[in-house]
Amino acid sequence: MTRPFETVTLTINGEPVGLPVNPASRLSEVLREGLGLRGTKVGCDAGDCGACTVLLDGAPVCACLTPAAQAAGRHVTTVEGLTATRLQQSFLRHGAAQCGICTPGMLMTATALLERNPNPTRSEAEEALGGVLCRCTGYTRILDAVLDTAPGDAPAMPEAGQSVGAMLERLDGVPKVDGTESYGADHAPEGALLVRAVRAPGAPMHFTLGDLEAWQAAQSGPVHVFTAEDILGVNRFGVIPAFVDQPALAQSHVRMRGEAVALVAGEPAVIEALDLSTFPVTWTDAPKDAPVHDTHPDDLLIAGVVRRGDAAAALKRATYVVSGHMRTGYVEHAYIEPEAGVAWMEGDVLAIRACTQAPIMDRDYTARILGLPPERVRMIPAATGGGFGAKLDLSLQPLIGLVTLKTGRPARMIYSRAESMATTTKRHPSDMRGEIGVDAEGRLVGMTFDGDFNTGAYASWGPTVSGRVPVHASGPYYIPNYDADARANYSYEPISGAFRGFGVPQAALLQETLFDELAEKAGIDRLKFRQLNALRDGQDTVCGQVLHGVGMTDCLEALEDPWGKALAWAEAENAKGGHMRHGVGIASCWYGCGNTGIPNPSTIRVGITAQGELYLHQGAVDIGQGSNTVIAQICADALGLPIAQMQIIDADTARTPDCGKTSGSRQTYVTGSAALRAGAALRQRILQMTNMGEDATLRLEGQTLKVSDGQAARHIDLSTLEADTNGYVLVAEETYDPPTRSLDENGQGAPYAVYGYGAQVASVAVDTRLGIVKVTHITAAHDLGRVINPILAEGQVQGGIAQGLGMALMEEYVPDRTENLHDYLIPTTGDMPPIDTIFLEVPDPEGPMGAKGLGEHVLIPTAPAILNAIRHATGALVTELPALPHRVLAAMREVKG
Ligand code: FES
Ligand code: FES
């Protein structure tokens, strides 16, 4: 029974407030929806993530678990109540906020800690923050920030031409620490309808809808219902035009649990109160052995292949040969922000503001579904509270768009944690076999790889995974004979899509663990084995592509010292005896940046107004990785003006040119290259206007652009120039598309123009009685070509390692069982080891200022390095991930025989 509203009086951020609320309603709800204090975030509504942490009389509590009545007469402090504290400044200085969705919860928890203990130790801080999850940072920089709140100056803004490489705070950092950053759930236009989806309880199933009108009439207020019948366009979407197979709303048949079959919309109080289990729909089981899609009778979506030389013959000739089998399960992205967004009409244009990694693609598929031309849909990416690949696919955009189009009212939808986990994409489960051989000196002579990747009910990024895996399954090594196949297969299970690495992290597990066995057989140190076989400048890959700017041997050389020390540590620890065994592992990575052998251009516009304002139209969605900052750094230096003068116009399909998707570690390289060109083109234009040489210095002072070169000085009075339709008197717009060559039927070609390289050393302690693995240290060496922003780059490494560690040891998504953040475990502060990061700068001839991508690379070596360390410690190779204690113990039993 709904309890009547009562006036609850409390003090919020020092101000007394009296609110008529249901006393049982969540404090988080009251703060966010009642008072508009949306700095407090909601990631789970179940006490698992800590994003909603506020202070109640100075003590941290989960606002989602605190009834409003419990706060009566007490003092509540939210992130809005912090005013440029030292802690907030420290978060900025240390780059402790990436996507920023966890930041308010972290700040509040740390504020309480520092209040009671101004000088905590690292382990005290780890313990205090242990209940707040962060999926981006790996926690290192958050802990650094909490432990370093002494007043410190923000790094000075760099001079003209000195942005790239500078220790520059992220340009969009302040709203992340003051609570004003606006995510998908944070914008609520007046009068917005609330939208919920009716979803399938299992799959495969057929369904029929019952008497909708009778059900609507029985509710406490007006409820709109929309089904597939209401969709005016093509009820299909996907991410690759040739593989568009997913309905926005299912029609009579569902292929996966959680598939949406109807929408309900209305006033928030009415919609929240609905019991959707009464919705009139009849479900019947469909045969599980029928093909998932009639178009693919064998459930094979697509196969990818790379063949070079004669792998079978080479393996026959090889001195040492090893073979293996590795399986991995579903891995959930577990970003802290569940999908959310809002739609409204702007004249006859449908505007949608939602979390996303791909605004142009969202616009085009949403328009197609709704039967609109693309120019009648405007996509405005909200701040995105973590993506890691899953927010590349459409989720609620066409659903809220449909409601707004049909009703003319703004429509708002916020996925629950369970809805987010059940219905969005995952990392592909894999089942892989391989064989690798070396000659008597330990040089690789041949390799085979064969992998099945479960792509779930719809294609999503399955074709990309099956294409990328054979290209990368060799690892960054020279292998003259190679035969690799990867298949993406349909199933009636959750959709697998893009997740940091597109299948490459799975493939690296098999290859890198087999390498350790080969090194052992050949009697070569495992690091040296990799050095012996690493790709070198001028060598060709398994695709026959000759590479330049290859920093693989540089990364391995940088790890020689940490490797030696880690081995000595393990030996010394093991000499002590006991049930704890210690081990060290190493693994490498390479990863091609951008799309595989197909165009993926980015376009950047930079302009100066008559008033002397400098604007960068930056359409690459910053999901926390830092593209807003990095792209601006590159453009500012190419132009020759200080970055402090550059204002960023964020991604918005109505205002920014197409910068493609935030995927494939492509934004620094591809959009960075467009930014380099745009900055350089605008500079050229200015130099030509003033007849100055290449070395001239630019200064923007009010309405005057001053250009000087030695003794010569000229001025441009900007106010006298004619403005274009965008209001710019000086402007440049440039496009960059990677020069790739598509793969032939044997996978030969030049699939990527730029690759990045890296290797990591992991140290572990294994409890041989319980099978529990503790990662005690990681050293990561990555070749970035050029480090554009050291703070952001290091944050990417630490965050990627955290996700790799989770994949190795704890993360396993089981449909219908782990659709929440207490059964699906991700690393917390206490799981993360100290991480040393080493950056190498081997310039890439194609990358902007030599830069290469980084975002996905950093996750790839972590899990195989950990598995190799477990094997080093125990002699047992775990061949099914995650390496949960029972699997570690089973692998050890197998070794003992
Ligand atoms: S939203 Fe309250 S703990 Fe997750
Ligand atoms: S910065 Fe912590 S979840 Fe993104």
mmCIF file of all heavy atoms in Angstrom, residues 41-52 62-65, ligand 1:
data_model
loop_
_atom_site.group_PDB
_atom_site.id
_atom_site.type_symbol
_atom_site.label_atom_id
_atom_site.label_comp_id
_atom_site.label_asym_id
_atom_site.label_seq_id
_atom_site.Cartn_x
_atom_site.Cartn_y
_atom_site.Cartn_z
ATOM 1 N N LYS A 41 24.577 10.358 -7.675
ATOM 2 C CA LYS A 41 24.299 9.445 -8.792
ATOM 3 C C LYS A 41 23.685 8.145 -8.295
ATOM 4 O O LYS A 41 23.874 7.747 -7.141
ATOM 5 C CB LYS A 41 25.588 9.137 -9.555
ATOM 6 C CG LYS A 41 26.327 10.382 -10.036
ATOM 7 C CD LYS A 41 25.442 11.255 -10.905
ATOM 8 C CE LYS A 41 26.139 12.542 -11.332
ATOM 9 N NZ LYS A 41 25.185 13.525 -11.912
ATOM 10 N N VAL A 42 23.001 7.472 -9.208
ATOM 11 C CA VAL A 42 22.399 6.180 -8.878
ATOM 12 C C VAL A 42 22.899 5.152 -9.886
ATOM 13 O O VAL A 42 22.649 5.281 -11.085
ATOM 14 C CB VAL A 42 20.858 6.270 -8.902
ATOM 15 C CG1 VAL A 42 20.244 4.883 -8.769
ATOM 16 C CG2 VAL A 42 20.370 7.171 -7.782
ATOM 17 N N GLY A 43 23.612 4.157 -9.385
ATOM 18 C CA GLY A 43 24.142 3.132 -10.276
ATOM 19 C C GLY A 43 23.497 1.782 -10.118
ATOM 20 O O GLY A 43 23.625 0.923 -10.988
ATOM 21 N N CYS A 44 22.826 1.556 -8.981
ATOM 22 C CA CYS A 44 22.294 0.207 -8.768
ATOM 23 C C CYS A 44 20.999 0.193 -7.968
ATOM 24 O O CYS A 44 20.240 -0.759 -8.049
ATOM 25 C CB CYS A 44 23.335 -0.648 -8.064
ATOM 26 S SG CYS A 44 23.651 -0.166 -6.350
ATOM 27 N N ASP A 45 20.760 1.230 -7.154
ATOM 28 C CA ASP A 45 19.573 1.259 -6.277
ATOM 29 C C ASP A 45 19.537 0.065 -5.325
ATOM 30 O O ASP A 45 18.466 -0.378 -4.910
ATOM 31 C CB ASP A 45 18.281 1.280 -7.121
ATOM 32 C CG ASP A 45 17.671 2.690 -7.144
ATOM 33 O OD1 ASP A 45 18.064 3.524 -6.300
ATOM 34 O OD2 ASP A 45 16.828 2.937 -8.016
ATOM 35 N N ALA A 46 20.700 -0.469 -5.000
ATOM 36 C CA ALA A 46 20.712 -1.680 -4.169
ATOM 37 C C ALA A 46 21.844 -1.695 -3.154
ATOM 38 O O ALA A 46 22.117 -2.731 -2.559
ATOM 39 C CB ALA A 46 20.814 -2.905 -5.067
ATOM 40 N N GLY A 47 22.545 -0.586 -2.993
ATOM 41 C CA GLY A 47 23.619 -0.559 -2.005
ATOM 42 C C GLY A 47 24.898 -1.221 -2.453
ATOM 43 O O GLY A 47 25.795 -1.462 -1.641
ATOM 44 N N ASP A 48 25.033 -1.498 -3.757
ATOM 45 C CA ASP A 48 26.216 -2.228 -4.233
ATOM 46 C C ASP A 48 27.322 -1.351 -4.796
ATOM 47 O O ASP A 48 28.480 -1.763 -4.803
ATOM 48 C CB ASP A 48 25.809 -3.221 -5.336
ATOM 49 C CG ASP A 48 24.838 -4.264 -4.826
ATOM 50 O OD1 ASP A 48 25.014 -4.714 -3.676
ATOM 51 O OD2 ASP A 48 23.905 -4.617 -5.575
ATOM 52 N N CYS A 49 26.984 -0.181 -5.340
ATOM 53 C CA CYS A 49 28.001 0.571 -6.094
ATOM 54 C C CYS A 49 28.534 1.784 -5.348
ATOM 55 O O CYS A 49 29.616 2.270 -5.666
ATOM 56 C CB CYS A 49 27.455 0.991 -7.455
ATOM 57 S SG CYS A 49 26.244 2.334 -7.394
ATOM 58 N N GLY A 50 27.786 2.324 -4.417
ATOM 59 C CA GLY A 50 28.269 3.476 -3.655
ATOM 60 C C GLY A 50 28.189 4.801 -4.394
ATOM 61 O O GLY A 50 28.573 5.833 -3.848
ATOM 62 N N ALA A 51 27.678 4.800 -5.638
ATOM 63 C CA ALA A 51 27.626 6.053 -6.403
ATOM 64 C C ALA A 51 26.735 7.088 -5.734
ATOM 65 O O ALA A 51 26.903 8.288 -5.922
ATOM 66 C CB ALA A 51 27.126 5.776 -7.821
ATOM 67 N N CYS A 52 25.775 6.617 -4.929
ATOM 68 C CA CYS A 52 24.786 7.507 -4.324
ATOM 69 C C CYS A 52 25.220 7.997 -2.935
ATOM 70 O O CYS A 52 24.405 8.576 -2.214
ATOM 71 C CB CYS A 52 23.462 6.763 -4.199
ATOM 72 S SG CYS A 52 23.618 5.343 -3.097
ATOM 73 N N CYS A 62 24.547 5.107 1.876
ATOM 74 C CA CYS A 62 24.000 4.955 0.533
ATOM 75 C C CYS A 62 22.620 5.595 0.512
ATOM 76 O O CYS A 62 21.703 5.103 1.189
ATOM 77 C CB CYS A 62 23.879 3.476 0.157
ATOM 78 S SG CYS A 62 25.452 2.707 -0.206
ATOM 79 N N ALA A 63 22.482 6.663 -0.251
ATOM 80 C CA ALA A 63 21.192 7.361 -0.280
ATOM 81 C C ALA A 63 20.108 6.496 -0.905
ATOM 82 O O ALA A 63 18.925 6.707 -0.650
ATOM 83 C CB ALA A 63 21.334 8.674 -1.049
ATOM 84 N N CYS A 64 20.512 5.499 -1.697
ATOM 85 C CA CYS A 64 19.487 4.648 -2.326
ATOM 86 C C CYS A 64 18.879 3.672 -1.328
ATOM 87 O O CYS A 64 17.811 3.121 -1.577
ATOM 88 C CB CYS A 64 20.067 3.898 -3.520
ATOM 89 S SG CYS A 64 21.172 2.546 -3.094
ATOM 90 N N LEU A 65 19.563 3.446 -0.224
ATOM 91 C CA LEU A 65 19.039 2.528 0.786
ATOM 92 C C LEU A 65 18.479 3.268 1.999
ATOM 93 O O LEU A 65 18.022 2.643 2.949
ATOM 94 C CB LEU A 65 20.141 1.572 1.265
ATOM 95 C CG LEU A 65 20.694 0.563 0.256
ATOM 96 C CD1 LEU A 65 21.675 -0.372 0.932
ATOM 97 C CD2 LEU A 65 19.568 -0.231 -0.387
HETATM 98 S S1 FES B 1 22.971 3.524 -6.251
HETATM 99 FE FE1 FES B 1 23.102 3.339 -4.116
HETATM 100 S S2 FES B 1 24.696 1.931 -3.854
HETATM 101 FE FE2 FES B 1 24.408 1.941 -5.995
#
